[in-house]
Amino acid sequence: MYKHFAKRILDFLFSLMSILLIGWIIGIVALWLHFANKGAGAFFLQSRPGKNGKIFKVIKFKTMTDEKDENGNLLPDEKRLTKIGKFIRSTSIDELPQIINVLKGDMSLIGPRPLLVQYLPLYTKEQARRHEVRPGITGWAQCHGRNAISWTQKFELDVWYVDNISFIVDIKIFFLTIKKVFMREGISQDGNATMEFFNGHN
């Protein structure tokens, strides 16, 4: 009942209420980033696989510049991450616009994080089970290491969540996420500004 019906209703009601209450914060941060990014834009839209692998556009605050090297390739994340962007990312404020994705039904408040489309053919059959549910703004893996754990551990935690979805588990994740945000834990992996790319083995 909860997994297939009540969870979506709660997602819709919570995201609608959140937009009404904190829409002004999103507006202020967007204006701040517009100037910090030198007119390059405040929002970052990227294709991500959702439930059953259906592709959608995830909405996040833009925390990196579009700087490229002499060959036209984007510089590494750590060189493009601005000071303001680093703060916004460390406080998870960059995730706030995804409330719109939740309202639309692309995402859930809680579920496996939506990753890159290019990872789809790299998953094992078991790892691909993370797409049996809507991706979330936060999830079980985010409460147990976020970007500081290996991809293997992250996928194991994602699949555990798929098999154990319940209202109680979601409430636990919600409060653990609040704790992680205030503690600013697991923001990045050692040697990376965020997380190394998944290559099908790591």
Side-chain angles (χ1 to χ4, degrees):
M1 175 67 80
Y2 176 75
K3 179 178 180 180
H4 300 289
F5 182 68
K7 183 174 172 69
R8 175 57 194 152
I9 292 177
L10 291 177
D11 279 339
F12 179 82
L13 294 176
F14 189 89
S15 58
L16 179 61
M17 186 167 52
S18 295
I19 289 174
L20 294 176
L21 292 175
I22 66 173
W24 62 275
I25 297 178
I26 294 176
I28 290 175
V29 174
L31 188 62
W32 185 18
L33 285 173
H34 174 75
F35 290 106
N37 294 336
K38 300 178 180 180
F43 296 98
F44 173 71
L45 278 69
Q46 188 176 52
S47 295
R48 298 289 176 93
K51 185 177 181 180
N52 299 320
K54 182 180 179 181
I55 308 301
F56 71 98
K57 293 287 186 180
V58 69
I59 309 170
K60 299 180 71 173
F61 279 127
K62 190 172 184 177
T63 58
M64 297 183 186
T65 68
D66 294 326
E67 295 176 278
K68 298 179 180 179
D69 60 22
E70 61 275 10
N71 297 316
N73 300 311
L74 287 173
L75 293 176
D77 289 355
E78 60 270 16
K79 292 185 177 181
R80 295 187 294 120
L81 186 62
T82 64
K83 290 183 178 179
I84 294 175
K86 188 174 182 179
F87 168 75
I88 289 176
R89 187 184 292 269
S90 70
T91 55
S92 295
I93 292 174
D94 62 315
E95 310 288 357
L96 286 181
Q98 289 171 57
I99 292 173
I100 299 172
N101 287 122
V102 176
L103 187 66
K104 290 172 57 183
D106 298 325
M107 295 176 63
S108 175
L109 291 170
I110 296 170
R113 288 292 297 146
L115 301 176
L116 299 177
V117 175
Q118 67 198 61
Y119 294 166
L120 285 174
L122 303 178
Y123 296 138
T124 65
K125 186 176 181 179
E126 182 69 6
Q127 291 170 345
R129 293 192 57 226
R130 67 192 310 278
H131 294 297
E132 291 178 9
V133 298
R134 286 186 178 87
I137 294 178
T138 185
W140 192 240
Q142 279 59 52
C143 296
H144 293 81
R146 197 174 172 181
N147 289 330
I149 58 177
S150 70
W151 283 109
T152 298
Q153 291 172 303
K154 184 176 293 189
F155 294 143
E156 289 174 351
L157 292 167
D158 286 342
V159 173
W160 182 92
Y161 176 77
V162 171
D163 291 332
N164 293 275
I165 292 179
S166 71
F167 179 70
I168 297 300
V169 169
D170 278 1
I171 289 295
K172 184 175 181 179
I173 292 173
F174 178 79
F175 285 107
L176 283 173
T177 297
I178 293 176
K179 177 185 175 183
K180 289 286 184 180
V181 169
F182 280 105
M183 297 291 287
R184 299 192 185 184
E185 297 175 342
I187 297 167
S188 61
Q189 190 175 54
D190 290 342
N192 295 277
T194 52
M195 181 83 179
E196 66 176 334
F197 281 100
F198 176 60
N199 58 25
H201 302 289
N202 48 357

